[in-house]
Amino acid sequence: MEQLMQAPVAAVIFAITIITSLITFSNQNLYGKLMLHPYNVSRGRYVYTVITSGFIHKDLMHLFFNMMSYYFFAFQLEPVLGHWQFGVLYMLSLILSDMPSVLKHKENYSYYSLGASGAVSAVVFSAILYNPLGGMMIMPIPVSIPAVIFGVLYLIYCSYATKYSRDNINHDAHFYGALSGLMITILFHPGILPYFFQQISEKVQSLMH
């Protein structure tokens, strides 16, 4: 209940995503209508799927990992970013993270995309700006690393996977979602950037002494 009071927008998005995903697991017709289809979207058809595709998932594992990441960061982020600001960050990043895929696959009729990964990446990277030295885990490595280092490695991996991976994961959405989260957060709170670098600078100086 405390989290609901402190982060009501995050809680509503969390609930809608889980409920919609669970419903579409057993409703293939609705599932197909909500998926992003760049071929159609680029031609002005089913444009709403740029948003609806972010509220459905391929399977329970896909939903679980996205919502676990969301849960750990969104409910801490909203109180410091602001309620309406969090809503704008999430929804705008959802759209922005899909745009490169729409352009890239506009001639590929067989390409579809779905999942909240782009918007979740935005939430994670926005949170990193506020706490760059916080510990984060990368599976299956058993030790945590500073969030800022995780962020750099994540972007490098997404950039590499976009070019070479054949795992049917939309790495473009992850990459551009993360960048969207950084940019939107800085637009809302310009002072976060000097704070971010100050935190890192102080840590580096403490390690050097």
Side-chain angles (χ1 to χ4, degrees), residues 27-54:
N27 188 332
Q28 287 298 307
N29 186 42
L30 181 61
Y31 183 75
K33 287 179 178 177
L34 299 184
M35 270 197 290
L36 175 69
H37 190 209
Y39 182 89
N40 273 321
V41 171
S42 66
R43 287 158 177 79
R45 299 191 293 264
Y46 312 115
V47 177
Y48 65 86
T49 60
V50 170
I51 293 174
T52 60
S53 61

mmCIF file of all heavy atoms in Angstrom, residues 27-54:
data_model
loop_
_atom_site.group_PDB
_atom_site.id
_atom_site.type_symbol
_atom_site.label_atom_id
_atom_site.label_comp_id
_atom_site.label_asym_id
_atom_site.label_seq_id
_atom_site.Cartn_x
_atom_site.Cartn_y
_atom_site.Cartn_z
ATOM 1 N N ASN A 27 -5.813 -15.491 -25.588
ATOM 2 C CA ASN A 27 -6.667 -14.874 -26.609
ATOM 3 C C ASN A 27 -5.787 -14.478 -27.791
ATOM 4 O O ASN A 27 -5.305 -13.355 -27.882
ATOM 5 C CB ASN A 27 -7.391 -13.662 -26.020
ATOM 6 C CG ASN A 27 -8.442 -13.087 -26.956
ATOM 7 O OD1 ASN A 27 -8.337 -13.209 -28.183
ATOM 8 N ND2 ASN A 27 -9.459 -12.450 -26.386
ATOM 9 N N GLN A 28 -5.578 -15.422 -28.684
ATOM 10 C CA GLN A 28 -4.665 -15.203 -29.808
ATOM 11 C C GLN A 28 -5.139 -14.098 -30.751
ATOM 12 O O GLN A 28 -4.331 -13.392 -31.346
ATOM 13 C CB GLN A 28 -4.491 -16.511 -30.592
ATOM 14 C CG GLN A 28 -3.637 -17.550 -29.881
ATOM 15 C CD GLN A 28 -2.210 -17.070 -29.636
ATOM 16 O OE1 GLN A 28 -1.526 -16.630 -30.557
ATOM 17 N NE2 GLN A 28 -1.763 -17.143 -28.391
ATOM 18 N N ASN A 29 -6.443 -13.927 -30.871
ATOM 19 C CA ASN A 29 -6.989 -12.893 -31.739
ATOM 20 C C ASN A 29 -6.606 -11.494 -31.230
ATOM 21 O O ASN A 29 -6.121 -10.646 -31.985
ATOM 22 C CB ASN A 29 -8.515 -13.026 -31.817
ATOM 23 C CG ASN A 29 -9.121 -12.056 -32.816
ATOM 24 O OD1 ASN A 29 -8.586 -11.859 -33.905
ATOM 25 N ND2 ASN A 29 -10.236 -11.445 -32.439
ATOM 26 N N LEU A 30 -6.812 -11.282 -29.931
ATOM 27 C CA LEU A 30 -6.441 -10.006 -29.314
ATOM 28 C C LEU A 30 -4.927 -9.829 -29.326
ATOM 29 O O LEU A 30 -4.425 -8.725 -29.594
ATOM 30 C CB LEU A 30 -6.968 -9.958 -27.872
ATOM 31 C CG LEU A 30 -6.680 -8.672 -27.083
ATOM 32 C CD1 LEU A 30 -7.328 -7.462 -27.749
ATOM 33 C CD2 LEU A 30 -7.176 -8.819 -25.640
ATOM 34 N N TYR A 31 -4.207 -10.894 -29.054
ATOM 35 C CA TYR A 31 -2.732 -10.896 -29.068
ATOM 36 C C TYR A 31 -2.200 -10.367 -30.403
ATOM 37 O O TYR A 31 -1.330 -9.500 -30.448
ATOM 38 C CB TYR A 31 -2.264 -12.332 -28.822
ATOM 39 C CG TYR A 31 -0.776 -12.565 -28.736
ATOM 40 C CD1 TYR A 31 -0.053 -12.194 -27.614
ATOM 41 C CD2 TYR A 31 -0.102 -13.228 -29.772
ATOM 42 C CE1 TYR A 31 1.311 -12.450 -27.520
ATOM 43 C CE2 TYR A 31 1.260 -13.482 -29.694
ATOM 44 C CZ TYR A 31 1.956 -13.098 -28.563
ATOM 45 O OH TYR A 31 3.306 -13.352 -28.481
ATOM 46 N N GLY A 32 -2.789 -10.871 -31.501
ATOM 47 C CA GLY A 32 -2.366 -10.451 -32.838
ATOM 48 C C GLY A 32 -2.692 -8.994 -33.117
ATOM 49 O O GLY A 32 -1.924 -8.288 -33.777
ATOM 50 N N LYS A 33 -3.822 -8.518 -32.602
ATOM 51 C CA LYS A 33 -4.240 -7.140 -32.852
ATOM 52 C C LYS A 33 -3.395 -6.117 -32.091
ATOM 53 O O LYS A 33 -3.298 -4.960 -32.504
ATOM 54 C CB LYS A 33 -5.712 -6.959 -32.457
ATOM 55 C CG LYS A 33 -6.686 -7.624 -33.417
ATOM 56 C CD LYS A 33 -8.115 -7.427 -32.974
ATOM 57 C CE LYS A 33 -9.091 -8.062 -33.962
ATOM 58 N NZ LYS A 33 -10.499 -7.934 -33.516
ATOM 59 N N LEU A 34 -2.795 -6.532 -30.971
ATOM 60 C CA LEU A 34 -2.042 -5.596 -30.137
ATOM 61 C C LEU A 34 -0.543 -5.576 -30.455
ATOM 62 O O LEU A 34 0.162 -4.659 -30.036
ATOM 63 C CB LEU A 34 -2.234 -5.949 -28.652
ATOM 64 C CG LEU A 34 -3.666 -5.879 -28.114
ATOM 65 C CD1 LEU A 34 -3.695 -6.149 -26.620
ATOM 66 C CD2 LEU A 34 -4.307 -4.519 -28.411
ATOM 67 N N MET A 35 -0.055 -6.566 -31.202
ATOM 68 C CA MET A 35 1.372 -6.624 -31.547
ATOM 69 C C MET A 35 1.772 -5.517 -32.517
ATOM 70 O O MET A 35 0.982 -5.120 -33.371
ATOM 71 C CB MET A 35 1.712 -7.983 -32.174
ATOM 72 C CG MET A 35 2.119 -9.028 -31.171
ATOM 73 S SD MET A 35 2.967 -10.423 -31.976
ATOM 74 C CE MET A 35 1.632 -11.165 -32.869
ATOM 75 N N LEU A 36 3.003 -5.069 -32.399
ATOM 76 C CA LEU A 36 3.543 -4.077 -33.331
ATOM 77 C C LEU A 36 3.905 -4.756 -34.650
ATOM 78 O O LEU A 36 4.636 -5.745 -34.665
ATOM 79 C CB LEU A 36 4.795 -3.417 -32.741
ATOM 80 C CG LEU A 36 5.529 -2.431 -33.656
ATOM 81 C CD1 LEU A 36 4.699 -1.179 -33.883
ATOM 82 C CD2 LEU A 36 6.896 -2.061 -33.075
ATOM 83 N N HIS A 37 3.383 -4.206 -35.752
ATOM 84 C CA HIS A 37 3.696 -4.715 -37.082
ATOM 85 C C HIS A 37 4.231 -3.547 -37.908
ATOM 86 O O HIS A 37 3.443 -2.789 -38.505
ATOM 87 C CB HIS A 37 2.437 -5.319 -37.721
ATOM 88 C CG HIS A 37 2.707 -6.071 -38.975
ATOM 89 N ND1 HIS A 37 1.774 -6.198 -39.991
ATOM 90 C CD2 HIS A 37 3.811 -6.747 -39.411
ATOM 91 C CE1 HIS A 37 2.295 -6.911 -40.975
ATOM 92 N NE2 HIS A 37 3.525 -7.252 -40.652
ATOM 93 N N PRO A 38 5.556 -3.361 -37.949
ATOM 94 C CA PRO A 38 6.142 -2.207 -38.630
ATOM 95 C C PRO A 38 5.667 -2.009 -40.061
ATOM 96 O O PRO A 38 5.505 -0.871 -40.505
ATOM 97 C CB PRO A 38 7.646 -2.519 -38.585
ATOM 98 C CG PRO A 38 7.809 -3.328 -37.347
ATOM 99 C CD PRO A 38 6.585 -4.192 -37.288
ATOM 100 N N TYR A 39 5.440 -3.091 -40.768
ATOM 101 C CA TYR A 39 4.976 -2.992 -42.161
ATOM 102 C C TYR A 39 3.677 -2.184 -42.243
ATOM 103 O O TYR A 39 3.531 -1.292 -43.081
ATOM 104 C CB TYR A 39 4.777 -4.393 -42.738
ATOM 105 C CG TYR A 39 4.350 -4.411 -44.198
ATOM 106 C CD1 TYR A 39 5.288 -4.432 -45.221
ATOM 107 C CD2 TYR A 39 2.997 -4.408 -44.548
ATOM 108 C CE1 TYR A 39 4.901 -4.449 -46.564
ATOM 109 C CE2 TYR A 39 2.590 -4.422 -45.874
ATOM 110 C CZ TYR A 39 3.555 -4.440 -46.874
ATOM 111 O OH TYR A 39 3.154 -4.450 -48.198
ATOM 112 N N ASN A 40 2.739 -2.507 -41.358
ATOM 113 C CA ASN A 40 1.459 -1.801 -41.343
ATOM 114 C C ASN A 40 1.573 -0.404 -40.747
ATOM 115 O O ASN A 40 1.017 0.555 -41.285
ATOM 116 C CB ASN A 40 0.410 -2.607 -40.558
ATOM 117 C CG ASN A 40 -0.312 -3.620 -41.434
ATOM 118 O OD1 ASN A 40 -0.620 -3.349 -42.589
ATOM 119 N ND2 ASN A 40 -0.565 -4.798 -40.887
ATOM 120 N N VAL A 41 2.289 -0.293 -39.638
ATOM 121 C CA VAL A 41 2.419 1.008 -38.958
ATOM 122 C C VAL A 41 3.053 2.042 -39.881
ATOM 123 O O VAL A 41 2.621 3.201 -39.931
ATOM 124 C CB VAL A 41 3.239 0.865 -37.655
ATOM 125 C CG1 VAL A 41 3.563 2.238 -37.059
ATOM 126 C CG2 VAL A 41 2.478 0.023 -36.641
ATOM 127 N N SER A 42 4.075 1.630 -40.627
ATOM 128 C CA SER A 42 4.757 2.559 -41.544
ATOM 129 C C SER A 42 3.845 3.025 -42.674
ATOM 130 O O SER A 42 4.127 4.020 -43.346
ATOM 131 C CB SER A 42 6.020 1.904 -42.119
ATOM 132 O OG SER A 42 5.680 0.795 -42.947
ATOM 133 N N ARG A 43 2.743 2.300 -42.857
ATOM 134 C CA ARG A 43 1.765 2.668 -43.890
ATOM 135 C C ARG A 43 0.515 3.291 -43.285
ATOM 136 O O ARG A 43 -0.521 3.413 -43.941
ATOM 137 C CB ARG A 43 1.413 1.430 -44.731
ATOM 138 C CG ARG A 43 2.553 1.025 -45.678
ATOM 139 C CD ARG A 43 2.492 -0.416 -46.107
ATOM 140 N NE ARG A 43 3.557 -0.713 -47.070
ATOM 141 C CZ ARG A 43 4.828 -0.933 -46.734
ATOM 142 N NH1 ARG A 43 5.198 -0.885 -45.454
ATOM 143 N NH2 ARG A 43 5.733 -1.192 -47.667
ATOM 144 N N GLY A 44 0.623 3.686 -42.011
ATOM 145 C CA GLY A 44 -0.474 4.394 -41.348
ATOM 146 C C GLY A 44 -1.578 3.514 -40.821
ATOM 147 O O GLY A 44 -2.644 4.011 -40.444
ATOM 148 N N ARG A 45 -1.347 2.198 -40.773
ATOM 149 C CA ARG A 45 -2.364 1.275 -40.281
ATOM 150 C C ARG A 45 -1.978 0.736 -38.908
ATOM 151 O O ARG A 45 -0.816 0.448 -38.657
ATOM 152 C CB ARG A 45 -2.557 0.114 -41.263
ATOM 153 C CG ARG A 45 -3.026 0.545 -42.658
ATOM 154 C CD ARG A 45 -3.445 -0.647 -43.496
ATOM 155 N NE ARG A 45 -2.324 -1.520 -43.828
ATOM 156 C CZ ARG A 45 -1.639 -1.447 -44.975
ATOM 157 N NH1 ARG A 45 -1.944 -0.518 -45.877
ATOM 158 N NH2 ARG A 45 -0.650 -2.285 -45.221
ATOM 159 N N TYR A 46 -2.971 0.588 -38.029
ATOM 160 C CA TYR A 46 -2.768 0.029 -36.682
ATOM 161 C C TYR A 46 -1.646 0.765 -35.930
ATOM 162 O O TYR A 46 -0.839 0.138 -35.234
ATOM 163 C CB TYR A 46 -2.455 -1.472 -36.760
ATOM 164 C CG TYR A 46 -3.391 -2.250 -37.641
ATOM 165 C CD1 TYR A 46 -2.935 -2.871 -38.798
ATOM 166 C CD2 TYR A 46 -4.756 -2.348 -37.326
ATOM 167 C CE1 TYR A 46 -3.808 -3.584 -39.627
ATOM 168 C CE2 TYR A 46 -5.631 -3.052 -38.146
ATOM 169 C CZ TYR A 46 -5.149 -3.660 -39.292
ATOM 170 O OH TYR A 46 -6.010 -4.356 -40.107
ATOM 171 N N VAL A 47 -1.633 2.088 -36.054
ATOM 172 C CA VAL A 47 -0.587 2.892 -35.404
ATOM 173 C C VAL A 47 -0.637 2.727 -33.880
ATOM 174 O O VAL A 47 0.389 2.835 -33.211
ATOM 175 C CB VAL A 47 -0.726 4.385 -35.811
ATOM 176 C CG1 VAL A 47 0.306 5.244 -35.099
ATOM 177 C CG2 VAL A 47 -0.579 4.533 -37.324
ATOM 178 N N TYR A 48 -1.827 2.441 -33.353
ATOM 179 C CA TYR A 48 -1.984 2.267 -31.900
ATOM 180 C C TYR A 48 -1.087 1.155 -31.347
ATOM 181 O O TYR A 48 -0.771 1.129 -30.159
ATOM 182 C CB TYR A 48 -3.447 1.980 -31.555
ATOM 183 C CG TYR A 48 -3.970 0.674 -32.114
ATOM 184 C CD1 TYR A 48 -3.808 -0.525 -31.416
ATOM 185 C CD2 TYR A 48 -4.632 0.628 -33.343
ATOM 186 C CE1 TYR A 48 -4.271 -1.726 -31.925
ATOM 187 C CE2 TYR A 48 -5.104 -0.566 -33.865
ATOM 188 C CZ TYR A 48 -4.924 -1.737 -33.150
ATOM 189 O OH TYR A 48 -5.369 -2.930 -33.656
ATOM 190 N N THR A 49 -0.652 0.221 -32.209
ATOM 191 C CA THR A 49 0.155 -0.904 -31.730
ATOM 192 C C THR A 49 1.552 -0.463 -31.270
ATOM 193 O O THR A 49 2.238 -1.225 -30.583
ATOM 194 C CB THR A 49 0.300 -2.001 -32.810
ATOM 195 O OG1 THR A 49 0.936 -1.444 -33.977
ATOM 196 C CG2 THR A 49 -1.060 -2.560 -33.191
ATOM 197 N N VAL A 50 1.959 0.739 -31.627
ATOM 198 C CA VAL A 50 3.217 1.281 -31.102
ATOM 199 C C VAL A 50 3.145 1.339 -29.577
ATOM 200 O O VAL A 50 4.155 1.156 -28.887
ATOM 201 C CB VAL A 50 3.506 2.686 -31.695
ATOM 202 C CG1 VAL A 50 4.668 3.352 -30.988
ATOM 203 C CG2 VAL A 50 3.788 2.577 -33.188
ATOM 204 N N ILE A 51 1.939 1.579 -29.055
ATOM 205 C CA ILE A 51 1.740 1.623 -27.604
ATOM 206 C C ILE A 51 1.276 0.272 -27.065
ATOM 207 O O ILE A 51 1.851 -0.253 -26.109
ATOM 208 C CB ILE A 51 0.717 2.717 -27.233
ATOM 209 C CG1 ILE A 51 1.303 4.097 -27.539
ATOM 210 C CG2 ILE A 51 0.328 2.620 -25.752
ATOM 211 C CD1 ILE A 51 0.340 5.246 -27.349
ATOM 212 N N THR A 52 0.256 -0.319 -27.688
ATOM 213 C CA THR A 52 -0.321 -1.554 -27.128
ATOM 214 C C THR A 52 0.671 -2.712 -27.091
ATOM 215 O O THR A 52 0.591 -3.568 -26.204
ATOM 216 C CB THR A 52 -1.571 -1.990 -27.919
ATOM 217 O OG1 THR A 52 -1.208 -2.221 -29.297
ATOM 218 C CG2 THR A 52 -2.650 -0.926 -27.860
ATOM 219 N N SER A 53 1.623 -2.736 -28.026
ATOM 220 C CA SER A 53 2.605 -3.829 -28.041
ATOM 221 C C SER A 53 3.473 -3.829 -26.789
ATOM 222 O O SER A 53 4.050 -4.854 -26.424
ATOM 223 C CB SER A 53 3.499 -3.715 -29.287
ATOM 224 O OG SER A 53 4.209 -2.486 -29.285
ATOM 225 N N GLY A 54 3.564 -2.687 -26.112
ATOM 226 C CA GLY A 54 4.350 -2.604 -24.889
ATOM 227 C C GLY A 54 3.645 -3.156 -23.666
ATOM 228 O O GLY A 54 4.235 -3.236 -22.586
#
